[in-house]
Amino acid sequence: MTHDQLRAAGFPDAEELGNMFQFFTEAAATFVGNRDLNLIRTLNPRLQPLEDWLLKHRAQLQSAL
């Protein structure tokens, strides 16, 4: 799904989510670069990449549709 498709999805806050994910995509170096991921992982050892989390919760997300 593209950012524009997400913004046009028609559910509450779809536009805001589309904008947020577009920012994360287009400004990844700034967004991630300004954070100390080692410190964050120390504070939250369960931290995982979004892709891994989505795969782990795929069935739950699909059933919510």
Side-chain angles (χ1 to χ4, degrees):
M1 176 178 276
T2 67
H3 303 118
D4 287 334
Q5 289 170 324
L6 180 54
R7 281 190 280 269
F11 59 84
D13 298 323
E15 186 171 349
E16 288 79 7
L17 282 173
N19 292 340
M20 178 184 70
F21 285 120
Q22 184 170 1
F23 172 77
F24 291 165
T25 301
E26 294 178 0
T30 301
F31 177 72
V32 175
N34 290 336
R35 284 149 182 78
D36 182 345
L37 291 180
N38 290 325
L39 173 62
I40 292 170
R41 286 187 179 101
T42 300
L43 297 171
N44 181 4
R46 299 178 339 167
L47 179 68
Q48 55 189 295
L50 176 61
E51 186 173 313
D52 293 347
W53 185 90
L54 289 170
L55 289 171
K56 181 178 178 180
H57 295 90
R58 174 182 277 176
Q60 293 167 302
L61 294 167
Q62 288 175 332
S63 68
L65 297 176

